[in-house]
Amino acid sequence: KAGVTQTPRYLIKTRGQQVTLSCSPISGHRSVSWYQQTPGQGLQFLFEYFSETQRNKGNFPGRFSGRQFSNSRSEMNVSTLELGDSALYLCASSLTGGNTGELFFGEGSRLTVL
Amino acid sequence: GENVEQHPSTLSVQEGDSAVIKCTYSDSASNYFPWYKQELGKGPQLIIDIRSNVGEKKDQRIAVTLNKTAKHFSLHITETQPEDSAVYFCAASNRAAGNKLTFGGGTRVLVKP
C-alpha cells in the first residue's frame, strides 16, 4: 500500500512569488491535514480537509490556502512568499475526520524562500 | 487553545539504558495523545498513542503513561538501541478539533553505542 506522497520534495522560490504543494493521501483516506515544520516554531497545524471541505484552520495568515479534490488529493498554496515561510511542509492523511484514527505523514516538501 | 510543552529538548543515553520524555498539556478537553518519531529527512511516524480513558499503554520496549488530573503524559523507552536515535514529538488533540494535533517542541534522542 503506497504511503502519503508529497510533491515536489524540494523547491526554491524568491520573496513575493507563490508556491503550490501537492499531497496524495493513502488510498481510501478522506482526511488530509497540512503542517508547517520550522526549527523555531516546531510543528504547527495549517488546515485539515475532509471530503473536499475545510474542517479546521490554524493560526496562519490568509496567504496560506488549500483545497481538496474529489479523489482526496490536496494542494496547498502560499502566495506572496516571505523569508519566514521557509519550512518543511508536511501532509498527513487519515481514514477518518475525527481524532479517532492514526495520522500518516508524508516526507514533506522543503521550501526555501530567498 | 491547546498548549503542549515537552522536556527535555535533548536526551543522550547509553545503549541499553532507558529514556523518558515528559509532556504537559493545557486543555482539559484533550482526549488523544500520540507520540511520533521523526528520523532525518523523513516525516513523523506514529510509535504509540493513548486515549484519555486509559492510564498506561505498552508496546514492546515503548510505553506511555497519562495522568489526566495533572495533565501530563510521558514516553518511556526501555533497552534503548542506536536505531532509537531520532527526534520524538508528543502531541494532543480533542474530538472537536478533528485531526488537528498540537505538538510539543520535540526531544532529540541520541543513543550512544
Side-chain angles (χ1 to χ4, degrees):
Chain A
K1 193 173 185 179
V4 177
T5 303
Q6 293 188 244
T7 57
R9 290 291 315 280
Y10 303 91
L11 64 167
I12 300 173
K13 294 285 186 178
T14 56
R15 280 179 297 174
Q17 287 187 312
Q18 73 162 14
V19 66
T20 299
L21 308 177
S22 179
C23 172
S24 292
I26 292 172
S27 178
H29 285 196
R30 295 166 63 191
S31 167
V32 173
S33 305
W34 288 89
Y35 290 81
Q36 181 196 64
Q37 185 173 27
T38 60
Q41 299 298 316
L43 278 154
Q44 292 188 292
F45 173 80
L46 281 157
F47 26 65
E48 178 194 2
Y49 287 88
F50 183 82
S51 294
E52 301 178 66
T53 301
Q54 187 180 88
R55 288 173 53 104
N56 212 337
K57 192 177 191 306
N59 295 325
F60 280 82
R63 300 185 297 107
F64 292 80
S65 63
R67 58 178 175 168
Q68 186 180 34
F69 302 96
S70 58
N71 61 358
S72 293
R73 189 178 71 86
S74 177
E75 289 181 348
M76 67 162 283
N77 183 77
V78 188
S79 62
T80 319
L81 284 166
E82 301 177 359
L83 295 179
D85 297 332
S86 294
L88 180 67
Y89 290 89
L90 291 160
C91 166
S93 78
S94 178
L95 195 59
T96 65
N99 69 345
T100 56
E102 177 178 352
L103 286 191
F104 294 84
F105 282 86
E107 296 194 330
S109 292
R110 183 166 296 280
L111 170 66
T112 302
V113 182
L114 302 176
Chain B
E2 175 67 280
N3 182 51
V4 177
E5 295 196 358
Q6 182 172 346
H7 299 281
S9 56
T10 59
L11 181 60
S12 182
V13 297
Q14 207 65 38
E15 182 178 358
D17 287 350
S18 295
V20 179
I21 304 171
K22 299 183 178 183
C23 289
T24 60
Y25 62 98
S26 62
D27 187 354
S28 57
S30 288
N31 67 338
Y32 177 59
F33 307 92
W35 286 87
Y36 285 85
K37 175 183 181 182
Q38 187 173 26
E39 297 176 331
L40 200 60
K42 297 189 175 182
Q45 181 179 16
L46 181 74
I47 56 172
I48 195 166
D49 57 10
I50 192 167
R51 296 198 176 269
S52 58
N53 58 345
V54 175
E56 182 175 0
K57 185 176 178 181
K58 290 183 75 171
D59 183 4
Q60 298 183 13
R61 297 186 295 109
I62 294 174
V64 57
T65 59
L66 171 65
N67 183 326
K68 284 173 53 180
T69 304
K71 295 199 189 76
H72 68 70
F73 55 114
S74 301
L75 177 72
H76 303 253
I77 306 173
T78 59
E79 300 172 20
T80 53
Q81 301 167 5
E83 52 264 38
D84 294 329
S85 295
V87 180
Y88 292 80
F89 292 94
C90 62
S93 78
N94 65 66
R95 191 181 308 277
N99 283 318
K100 174 185 177 181
L101 294 176
T102 301
F103 283 88
T107 298
R108 185 173 300 278
V109 174
L110 175 63
V111 179
K112 296 179 288 186

